[in-house]
Amino acid sequence: EEKLLESGGGLVQPGESLRLSCLTSGFEFNWAWMSWVRQAPGKELEWVSTISSSASTTHYADSVKGRFSISRDNPNKTLYLQLNSLKTEDTGTYYCVNAPRSRALTAPRGQGTQVTVSS
């Protein structure tokens, strides 16, 4: 059974940083393209970032490019998302998914981790 357990969210002020983690199990993480998606209150699910299985390729939504950084630890089957220079519009629930960008919005999600950016 595929499991995705996100953590690391919290309440921060604009300009601050967070590091999200996603501990995975139940599938071949080393071979999987992984993505982060998020959902703001009252809004649709939004793709954020994708990383290839070897971490050689990364993609970012324009809204987070230059501020967020995706990475992975294959031996420990963990996906990360470093969130810097956070803005109020980054508020939402963040999910990791076992999917490339093309399928990220329809892939099964875990419980997610809440990020709230507020002054």
Side-chain angles (χ1 to χ4, degrees):
E1 179 188 2
E2 177 178 304
K3 292 186 178 180
L4 305 162
L5 183 61
E6 301 93 341
S7 62
L11 172 62
V12 296
Q13 295 186 345
E16 294 186 339
S17 299
L18 284 172
R19 189 191 194 201
L20 308 184
S21 299
C22 175
L23 179 62
T24 75
S25 63
F27 63 98
E28 290 293 335
F29 181 81
N30 289 8
W31 299 103
W33 282 60
M34 298 292 296
S35 298
W36 287 95
V37 298
R38 67 184 181 185
Q39 188 162 30
K43 295 190 176 181
E44 294 185 350
L45 195 66
E46 175 189 20
W47 169 76
V48 175
S49 183
T50 295
I51 188 168
S52 63
S53 56
S54 66
S56 61
T57 300
T58 57
H59 298 290
Y60 298 93
D62 287 344
S63 59
V64 307
K65 199 172 295 183
R67 300 188 298 119
F68 290 9
S69 178
I70 190 171
S71 61
R72 63 193 297 158
D73 179 351
N74 281 357
N76 289 303
K77 303 183 185 301
T78 303
L79 180 71
Y80 299 102
L81 188 67
Q82 179 69 39
L83 289 61
N84 296 330
S85 302
L86 281 160
K87 304 177 180 180
T88 55
E89 52 262 45
D90 294 319
T91 293
T93 303
Y94 285 69
Y95 305 90
C96 68
V97 294
N98 172 13
R101 178 180 179 178
S102 60
R103 293 188 288 107
L105 297 183
T106 56
R109 303 190 295 273
Q111 64 184 24
T113 186
Q114 177 67 37
V115 172
T116 303
V117 186
S118 175
S119 56

